[in-house]
Amino acid sequence: MIKRIGILTGGGDCCGLNQTIRGAVYRAKDFNYEIFGIRDGWKGLLEGLISPITLTDVEELVDKAGTYLGSSRTNPYKIKGGIKNVLRTIKNYGLDAIIAAGGEDTLGVANQLYKEEKINIVGAPKTMDNDLNGTDYTFGFDSSVTRAVEALRSLEDTGRSHHRVMVLEVMGRHAGWVALFTGIAGGADWILIPEYETDIDEMCKQLQRVYVRKRYALVVTSEGVILPGTSGEKEELDQFGHMILKERGVGNQLKKVICEKTGLEVRHSVIGHMQRGGIPTVFDRILGLRSGVTAVNLIHEGKYGYMAALKGNEVIGVPLEEAVSKLKLVDKKWWKLAEVFFK
Ligand code: F6P
């Protein structure tokens, strides 16, 4: 019988996480489950950073970005004795089930713990990158794109005044969803995403054509793009083996290439972590709340090894295995739609 649930948030923070915690705490009271907050992702289970969460703790999280529980990119499978410590903490605190809110890395660990250690675990899929398989959209994506579109429109104001090409580099890791949606919704004249290689000459010709018409142009690039003729240099890796792409500076490389090839004046901006904060959009707030509620429902139904996924208009249980089997990348259909606006 379930008495006590632990909840953690792992990986990069994003909008909707606080609302997920809030949703879970509110739903848990319907079943008289106690909810314990696990601090800083899997680190909290390694180190026993755990304490009860009450309604008072979460009721004002309705419109707050970030995560009240803290987060980290700690991978217990990469730490000597890590899994032993995780299991010990679960036992010591009497956690009957765990909700892990996270992206591919956090849910990958959750899935492994479920399969190999038989832990009662369910997931709440989050990531501003929207690259998680098995769910139509992840919370965090809508707010981060909203932030990036605002930034692009600001760049338009200054680009128009100074007759410049303005390049905006956005996050998104190896999936181009954030750049794609920012570019389409914000009126970019060219979009670069990791999934489809850009023809630099074709891009420069298009920017020159656009420039003749309006005397400025807007370019959006995803941080994960590797420009033809350059290599993705080796960077420091986190515990899940991911490079810190922002440091590679594709926006800056692109600025130089466009300037050289077109002779136009070019500036670039990197929105970076600003995309992860701010006020969560209504879409992310509602999806976060629904994910938290559904995660507790899944526990109540004994559907361990599942996550609360958005399918159409419903939030339903989908096996964690589906989420971690592959990355959800931008498909041809979406790319063709984007090209309508810049080719
Ligand atoms: O996965 C979310 C994300 O924001 C990516 O878009 C970005 O590459 C990465 O996290 C940045 O990670 P960190 O906050 O560890 O620098």
Side-chain angles (χ1 to χ4, degrees), residues 43-327:
K43 188 166 181 244
L45 279 182
L46 283 169
E47 298 179 10
L49 312 170
I50 294 172
S51 50
I53 319 182
T54 62
L55 276 190
T56 319
D57 294 322
V58 298
E59 59 197 347
E60 286 177 15
L61 297 181
V62 69
D63 60 355
K64 305 279 183 297
T67 163
Y68 158 80
L69 290 173
S71 191
S72 73
R73 295 197 187 277
T74 306
N75 182 351
Y77 282 98
K78 286 281 150 72
I79 291 166
K80 201 160 171 260
I83 297 308
K84 230 166 92 192
N85 283 348
V86 164
L87 297 179
R88 190 186 307 125
T89 310
I90 292 175
K91 193 157 173 254
N92 286 350
Y93 281 84
L95 303 177
D96 303 306
I98 288 171
I99 300 172
E104 48 152 341
D105 299 331
T106 305
L107 297 187
V109 171
N111 192 38
Q112 212 169 333
L113 283 172
Y114 164 70
K115 285 198 318 198
E116 293 173 8
E117 310 298 337
K118 311 291 173 239
I119 299 296
N120 295 340
I121 212 157
V122 300
K126 70 89 213 182
T127 167
M128 60 152 286
D129 301 336
N130 197 38
D131 59 358
L132 208 60
N133 199 45
T135 184
D136 291 353
Y137 287 95
T138 47
F139 59 79
F141 174 65
D142 190 62
S143 303
S144 72
V145 168
T146 301
R147 227 90 307 138
V149 169
E150 286 159 8
L152 187 63
R153 300 312 294 161
S154 300
L155 290 180
E156 190 199 45
D157 293 333
T158 172
R160 195 192 312 108
S161 305
H162 285 266
H163 315 301
R164 287 170 172 159
V165 178
M166 304 302 292
V167 176
L168 176 64
E169 178 187 317
V170 297
M171 282 186 170
R173 204 161 256 161
H174 302 294
W177 295 108
V178 177
L180 184 92
F181 273 53
T182 303
I184 301 178
D189 300 299
W190 197 272
I191 302 170
L192 296 93
I193 61 174
E195 290 89 338
Y196 301 92
E197 191 173 293
T198 277
D199 180 329
I200 296 288
D201 291 329
E202 194 190 345
M203 173 185 70
C204 288
K205 279 188 199 133
Q206 168 67 357
L207 294 178
Q208 278 169 317
R209 276 195 295 272
V210 167
Y211 193 86
V212 168
R213 196 174 74 236
K214 55 184 192 183
R215 300 192 64 215
Y216 72 91
L218 299 176
V219 177
V220 175
T221 182
S222 176
E223 63 178 357
V225 165
I226 297 174
L227 296 182
T230 65
S231 62
E233 302 100 84
K234 290 256 172 301
E235 299 284 347
E236 199 192 322
L237 303 180
D238 67 21
Q239 284 188 2
F240 288 92
H242 299 300
M243 253 187 239
I244 303 165
L245 293 167
K246 195 162 83 70
E247 307 297 328
R248 219 181 57 217
V250 68
N252 188 30
Q253 294 170 2
L254 200 55
K255 174 188 81 176
K256 290 183 190 149
V257 170
I258 297 172
C259 184
E260 249 169 56
K261 290 204 176 253
T262 64
L264 297 170
E265 197 175 357
V266 191
R267 295 287 188 272
H268 88 284
S269 299
V270 183
I271 183 168
H273 291 82
M274 278 179 271
Q275 261 188 281
R276 299 221 300 238
I279 299 173
T281 58
V282 170
F283 182 87
D284 279 344
R285 292 185 207 188
I286 302 281
L287 186 55
L289 288 169
R290 291 174 84 195
S291 302
V293 168
T294 306
V296 173
N297 289 344
L298 288 172
I299 290 174
H300 191 64
E301 292 158 16
K303 285 184 88 173
Y304 304 117
Y306 278 71
M307 67 173 184
L310 180 68
K311 292 282 187 185
N313 283 327
E314 301 299 321
V315 178
I316 57 167
V318 163
L320 282 170
E321 193 66 44
E322 223 182 285
V324 299
S325 57
K326 60 172 185 187
L327 271 192

